[in-house]
Amino acid sequence: MLNKNEKIVMQIIYDKMSDSQKAVIITEDEIWSKLPKMAKIDLDDLREILQQLAIDEYFELIHTEKKGNPVMVITLKKKGIAFERSLVQQKRKLGQKIVITVICAVITALISLFIKNLGG
């Protein structure tokens, strides 16, 4: 499972790709510029996150040059393609947990009121 910063970086890469593409040419600066301020990721952290995502087989990462500027070619692998679906599943599970918590709280409150009325 990805941590918060890895999810942010993966989402930026995923958003950069069009529907028909499974690969993108991107620079570290492009990713860096799209990072939210709350992420608190420096350039070294970004490089490490990219390497970890590549090691975890979310994508293949190739460093190269385009017109003399360093770029990265990122090609999604199976896990990377399934990234969006896994986010939806995580949100669904979180929603279910919230609903169950609310139901349990309501039941607890009702039982508490019932016990007070019996005793008093």
Side-chain angles (χ1 to χ4, degrees):
M1 179 166 313
L2 299 177
N3 67 34
K4 182 177 73 171
N5 290 338
E6 290 171 336
K7 285 180 188 176
I8 291 170
V9 172
M10 192 64 199
Q11 186 67 54
I12 291 169
I13 292 167
Y14 197 85
D15 290 345
K16 181 75 173 164
M17 302 206 181
S18 69
D19 291 335
S20 62
Q21 290 181 319
K22 300 295 182 231
V24 68
I25 297 173
I26 193 168
T27 65
E28 289 177 347
D29 292 337
E30 286 180 84
I31 297 172
W32 180 260
S33 68
K34 294 184 186 219
L35 287 173
K37 301 294 182 213
M38 66 167 198
K40 296 181 181 176
I41 300 173
D42 62 28
L43 197 53
D44 290 333
D45 291 339
L46 176 61
R47 289 179 181 141
E48 185 177 326
I49 289 169
L50 290 169
Q51 289 299 322
Q52 289 301 319
L53 289 170
I55 289 169
D56 291 342
E57 295 188 358
Y58 281 88
F59 51 74
E60 182 180 349
L61 179 64
I62 300 171
H63 292 276
T64 188
E65 287 189 9
K66 182 178 180 182
K67 296 181 183 176
N69 296 322
V71 295
M72 297 176 293
V73 178
I74 296 177
T75 307
L76 290 181
K77 291 187 175 183
K78 193 174 184 179
K79 281 184 177 179
I81 294 168
F83 171 74
E84 192 76 20
R85 179 170 166 71
S86 68
L87 285 182
V88 170
Q89 288 176 336
Q90 287 175 0
K91 287 179 184 178
R92 188 177 302 138
K93 284 181 183 178
L94 179 62
Q96 289 172 347
K97 286 180 182 180
I98 290 172
V99 168
I100 290 170
T101 302
V102 169
I103 290 171
C104 289
V106 169
I107 291 171
T108 302
L110 291 174
I111 291 172
S112 172
L113 287 173
F114 180 72
I115 291 175
K116 277 186 179 180
N117 288 333
L118 274 181

